[in-house]
Amino acid sequence: MTQIILHADMDAFFAAVEQRDRPELRGRPVVVGGLSDRGVVSTASYEARVFGVGSAMPMLEARTRCPDAVFLPGNMKRYVEVSRTIFSIFERFSPLVEGISLDEAFLDLSGTQRLLGAPAQVGQKLRKSVYEETGLAISVGIAPVKMVAKIASDEAKPDGLLEVQAHEVRDFLGALPVGRLWGVGPVGRQRLERAGYRKICQLAQAEEETLRRALGEWGEWGVGLASLARGEDERGVEHSRVASSYGEENTFAQDVCDLEPLERAIRRHAEAVARRLRKDEKLGRVVVLKLKLGRRRSRGPRGYPQHTRQCILPSYSDDGSTLAQAAQALLREFGCGEPIRLIGVTVRDLVTRGEAEQGQLGLFEAFADTPESEKGKAVARRSQLNTAVDELTSRFGKGAVSWAGEALLEPAGLHDRAKSGDTET
Amino acid sequence: MKLSIPQAEFQHALSRIQAIVEKRSSMPILANVLLDAISDSGEQTLRLSATDLEVGIRSSHEATVINPGSLTVSAKKLFEIVRELPNDVIHLEATSNSYLEIRCARSRFTLAGTVAEEYPTLPEAAPGKTVPIPASVLSQMIERTMYATSTDETRYNLNGVYLELLPKSGKIRMVATDGHRLAYIDRVINDEAGAIHNSVIIPRKALAELKRLVDEDDADELELCFDGNSGLVKKGGVILVMRLIEGEFPNYRQVLPKETTHRIVLPAEELANSVRRVALLSSERSRAIRLDLSPGSMIASSNNPDLGEAQEELDITYEGEPFSIGFNARYLLDALSVVKAKEIELGLHDELSPVQIRPTDDTDTLAVVMPMRL
């Protein structure tokens, strides 16, 4: 049975919420993002987009392009609230909703025709409900393939709806540039263009052998893309995604060279990741340190050399100090000395608390004078401390108690970026 | 350097060092093999050396040496070439700019090399007193213990097998543990075992090389020698040198189970087959299986919410109270697969105490596996 997938995407979400809440901003260019010189744009209202301002653009550039815009630091808490309302509306239209971010989701409409009507009608009804209940505009794309639904909602913007039926998929995709395909970033696009593939249709029609030859070591990647280009993608809508990694990172307002402030930043991120792990009753075992160097290698946001280093902990952990120590050791191993622009800590290989406790017993743990048993006691004490800290935080708010040395350096953005990885398959 | 050597002998020698040469090393020269053509008072030999700085092999082979000299070339490429050559005499000659010319029958290769002076010296073991040990004994000792070593690099003192002399019985013992399981084996070697006066930890990679050496067809008796932090093993014209792990092996004696409430005798292969089948549906991460014991029967089972359930019943001689215990199936299978006995005895105490696995016909060896919490 062919799937029917609806992709719903709020129009200029953060900016639209600001314009809704503050009528004086309506009709004016609004830019939400990190306001320091090194911040980046989170969302630009359509009025600002006319001036060429877009997401992920350095704030400085946005200010040059559109000096008259209203620049706002944003209010995450508010956006999360609105997002909850929107998702509760989504759930009225499909039992299967896959949230991608605060303002974007896939809905599975397969088999709902009899109950709700034709997909396009469902889409219009959903748009109407969102507008009536939140005062915000949303665009909708409908297609038998996830990626096509997403591109369709993009094409429908602003405040529109576009349905691409199964027999229209190839024509719809064909005319678009290859950069619109999932998994093709700026680098991938260049690679394809150099091999002579500019339009999606060229890729869709390419012979597998020719493609392999043209792309060399990237042949396998290209063959996968070609089938995506033909709209062959069976991925369905997945119930709320299970994160396979938790991470926190920040860009510094000024590049940092010294070990000590970097270690403090690591400590801060590690504690934040650990708090999220404990909140979700998870433990992780692989610690990844991410570094972006301040010395630019080429133009564009990807021009800063990025490095990651990782290590495996001896056992699963949700303790900030343990994670911080591992990441700090990775930093020392990396040997800093060069100015660092961005630092991040991510934890992978997650298990639930239940899984971790079900685990393997150790031979040496029961014996008093072994390092293993001492370690066990320390872990237990630390876990009690974490429980107490979590309780204080939940009662008095974030930052009520924090570790000495977890101090804040001035970040460039409006907040540290909390990230969750994709589902593990 | 100019010499000739029979193809078969050369191929065998080169295949022996393939696992040692580093594929991705920060020192590219470690991917090379050092060739030394030696002509010493009538004795003409080709000496091959390879090392990764932790383990090294040096072997001497009869050859016709026309000009003595040395050169290093890629061990992998040289092996690949020699392997394809006919079973005939191979002529090797160092030509200008450190090239090695290889001629055999109607084939001719030139292989880019590096001067021998740049090759690191192998870890040397001082000529201490050596202990002879039968290859078959050493092979069994390694097999019974090496699987239980830890691969966790933060616990480097467990990354090898501990070798010690048991002064009372005069036997030598090898022990390995990764903190979840443990295995040991005691063997009498000969009257000279006393020469092993220091306990040592032999790293896993060296053990793997040693195992390969003792399992070669012509292996009969080897000479063992430890000195400071290095070890040396001699088998005819082949010398294996290794750097030992410096660190303290944990006090493993205290974790050897003292109480055993239940002893169950089982056909080893039947148990291993059951565990292997049931493990098919265990969770991929934990590999957990469950054993339910009751008078006369043991039920092995597993379940995985994503896949389903598996169950298998074995008849056993068990008289006690029913109880259940969980294990990592891989740990059980590792221990069972190296026992190579018809019958084994499982020693159990309670659901939180380790199981002991031992062949019924050999009390000088034991495997211990900690359970999993169910």
Side-chain angles (χ1 to χ4, degrees), chain A residues 197-265:
Chain A
Y197 301 101
R198 292 179 169 275
K199 291 276 169 61
I200 293 180
C201 58
Q202 292 173 305
L203 205 51
Q205 288 157 4
E207 294 269 337
E208 193 173 316
E209 266 317 299
T210 325
L211 195 57
R212 278 187 202 277
R213 227 174 303 129
L215 289 170
E217 59 171 318
W218 297 97
E220 203 51 46
W221 172 77
V223 171
L225 281 182
S227 68
L228 204 54
R230 291 188 293 271
E232 295 159 9
D233 182 18
E234 310 262 291
R235 273 174 290 185
V237 178
E238 283 163 28
H239 232 295
S240 60
R241 304 196 295 173
V242 183
S244 66
S245 71
Y246 286 35
E248 298 267 337
E249 63 184 47
N250 77 284
T251 304
F252 295 114
Q254 255 154 26
D255 292 343
V256 176
C257 211
D258 296 332
L259 195 60
E260 200 258 321
L262 289 173
E263 291 195 336
R264 269 190 288 145

Side-chain angles (χ1 to χ4, degrees), chain A residues 349 358 360 363 367 370 372, chain B residues 155 179 254 285 370-371 373:
Chain A
D349 189 5
Q358 190 203 12
Q360 176 68 43
L363 265 171
F367 297 88
T370 60
E372 273 82 1
Chain B
R155 310 177 83 178
Q254 66 178 353
R285 194 191 294 276
M370 270 312 264
R373 215 175 260 125

Side-chain angles (χ1 to χ4, degrees), chain A residues 26 47 50 57 81 103 109 113 132 144 162 172 188 194 243 271 305 310 346 405 411:
Chain A
R26 290 182 199 162
E47 296 84 353
V50 174
M57 177 181 283
E81 256 171 56
D103 63 339
L109 296 188
Q113 282 93 318
E132 281 170 0
L162 180 62
F172 171 74
R194 267 199 299 268
E271 289 294 346
Q310 58 173 290
T346 298

Side-chain angles (χ1 to χ4, degrees), chain B residues 114-189:
Chain B
T114 314
V115 290
E117 286 68 34
E118 288 178 28
Y119 201 79
T121 42
L122 259 58
E124 290 285 345
K129 185 160 170 51
T130 62
V131 180
I133 179 166
S136 58
V137 171
L138 200 51
S139 173
Q140 190 188 35
M141 293 186 80
I142 296 171
E143 185 169 28
R144 291 266 174 98
T145 51
M146 195 167 94
Y147 73 89
T149 57
S150 169
T151 51
D152 177 356
E153 278 170 28
T154 64
R155 310 177 83 178
Y156 63 95
N157 58 329
L158 304 184
N159 292 169
V161 164
Y162 185 65
L163 174 73
E164 65 176 350
L165 176 73
L166 304 174
K168 270 189 218 152
S169 61
K171 292 174 182 170
I172 58 167
R173 169 177 284 184
M174 279 194 178
V175 198
T177 178
D178 63 2
H180 298 140
R181 52 182 167 167
L182 178 150
Y184 76 71
I185 176 167
D186 303 340
R187 285 292 179 260
V188 178
I189 46 169

Side-chain angles (χ1 to χ4, degrees), chain A residues 37-55:
Chain A
D37 284 353
R38 308 187 48 170
V40 289
V41 175
S42 292
T43 315
S45 74
Y46 281 89
E47 296 84 353
R49 291 186 193 188
V50 174
F51 295 90
V53 179
S55 315

Side-chain angles (χ1 to χ4, degrees), chain A residues 390-407:
Chain A
D390 289 345
E391 198 155 308
L392 284 170
T393 307
S394 79
R395 204 178 306 169
F396 300 109
K398 207 169 163 181
V401 270
S402 60
W403 295 93
E406 194 189 326

